[in-house]
Amino acid sequence: LKPGDEIFFTKADGTQVKFRVSVPNHYPYQQVPVSEVFAPAGPARLRLITCAGTWLPSEQTYDQRLIVTAELVHN
């Protein structure tokens, strides 16, 4: 995903909500800004979080986290 890409989410009632990717960021896996990523206040956002980078066998994880932020698009 890159800035400007659109993500559509279908709610339980069948209505669709559109988000637009604003920021994809890579963070070292032990330095993710948790308070920022999971901030309870502010505008509606969608955050997609996954592993990225190089596999670290000794730690059984990847060395980075990819966090893609998408902002709600009001129609």
Side-chain angles (χ1 to χ4, degrees):
L1 294 170
K2 61 187 180 311
D5 284 350
E6 294 178 342
I7 300 169
F8 294 90
F9 176 80
T10 303
K11 296 168 40 172
D13 67 3
T15 59
Q16 229 180 27
V17 181
K18 180 168 68 171
F19 292 86
R20 185 168 293 122
V21 173
S22 57
V23 181
N25 284 308
H26 283 86
Y27 297 98
Y29 85 98
Q30 293 180 325
Q31 296 175 11
V32 173
V34 175
S35 61
E36 176 186 321
V37 171
F38 295 104
R45 300 185 183 100
L46 176 68
R47 298 216 198 245
L48 305 172
I49 304 169
T50 191
C51 297
T54 303
W55 177 252
L56 303 172
S58 63
E59 298 185 43
Q60 295 292 294
T61 191
Y62 286 85
D63 68 344
Q64 294 181 26
R65 297 297 179 262
L66 170 60
I67 301 176
V68 176
T69 300
E71 306 293 335
L72 180 64
V73 175
H74 296 281
N75 294 329

